[in-house]
Amino acid sequence: MTMVLGEFREVSALVENLRPEVTNVTNVTSGAVAAKSAEDQIAVTGVLESGAVAAMHFRGGTSRATAFHWEINGTEGDLVVKADRAQWWYGGTQLYGARGEEGALTELPVPARYQRSLTQWTGRSAEPACSVAHEYALLRDQIIGSLAPDEDGVPDFRHAVRRHAMLERVREAARAGRKVTLAEQGA
């Protein structure tokens, strides 16, 4: 989200483990149950550096309803990103949008420039390996000098450090039960 809309200035959060036991997925027929300590519900609200308000809810488990739904409402229009799986980064996302007086969202095609030189993946964006291949292509372009550092979202170590600092501030907000300003720790 931050690579699209920018960084958080402040966050409030609720983090819970509502399913402390899970069924062994490698052998579902056995019915074996294991304890789980990882949180499976993460609700974050906050203000972005731009002043926009953001609200997110990540949940574990499966859903028969909406696996992934991201709605961006702006002054000039609306965007909706949907995916059939909660792990949207595996591919298979659909983008819808409308501007101005348009009454309904319509599906928007992904511009060709985002496909890079991955012609062998044309029409296969729903396959999990496609997003991995795309990231490697971005990295290749950065290494050979056709893509400047920090352009087009090639994650690097600095990106990872910033994300982990932000996630720690989200955890802090959840533990403290209060709003936390990210600038306090340079997140």
Side-chain angles (χ1 to χ4, degrees):
M1 184 204 80
T2 60
M3 295 177 91
V4 174
L5 298 176
E7 299 290 338
F8 276 102
R9 183 171 63 216
E10 58 188 38
V11 295
S12 297
L14 177 64
V15 177
E16 296 289 337
N17 178 9
L18 298 181
R19 296 179 180 147
E21 294 182 336
V22 292
T23 303
N24 183 338
V25 295
T26 57
N27 189 0
V28 178
T29 57
S30 74
V33 174
K36 178 183 72 66
S37 60
E39 295 90 352
D40 51 36
Q41 301 291 319
I42 304 169
V44 179
T45 59
V47 178
L48 303 177
E49 289 176 347
S50 67
V53 173
M56 299 168 289
H57 179 209
F58 300 96
R59 65 183 185 273
T62 57
S63 171
R64 289 174 191 85
T66 304
F68 180 81
H69 181 97
W70 182 16
E71 195 167 321
I72 303 169
N73 309 110
T75 55
E76 296 183 26
D78 302 297
L79 291 172
V80 172
V81 181
K82 294 182 179 184
D84 294 333
R85 342 176 171 162
Q87 301 86 0
W88 57 270
W89 53 89
Y90 284 147
T93 56
Q94 300 91 39
L95 176 65
Y96 302 87
R99 298 184 88 158
E101 299 300 317
E102 297 172 352
L105 298 171
T106 57
E107 188 164 6
L108 303 173
V110 175
R113 72 178 181 271
Y114 291 110
Q115 296 299 318
R116 299 279 178 214
S117 59
L118 300 174
T119 54
Q120 68 272 30
W121 290 98
T122 302
R124 297 171 59 193
S125 65
E127 295 180 38
C130 182
S131 57
V132 174
H134 184 72
E135 286 302 315
Y136 275 112
L138 288 171
L139 184 59
R140 175 208 59 214
D141 291 350
Q142 193 176 64
I143 289 169
I144 65 172
S146 65
L147 182 66
D150 297 328
E151 274 188 18
D152 286 340
V154 178
D156 59 11
F157 187 75
R158 289 174 302 168
H159 175 84
V161 168
R162 190 168 180 94
R163 289 292 62 81
H164 280 274
M166 182 195 80
L167 291 172
E168 192 50 43
R169 301 299 280 166
V170 167
R171 283 185 173 281
E172 179 184 337
R175 281 191 302 266
R178 65 175 175 83
K179 180 172 38 178
V180 172
T181 301
L182 273 69
E184 291 173 10
Q185 296 288 325

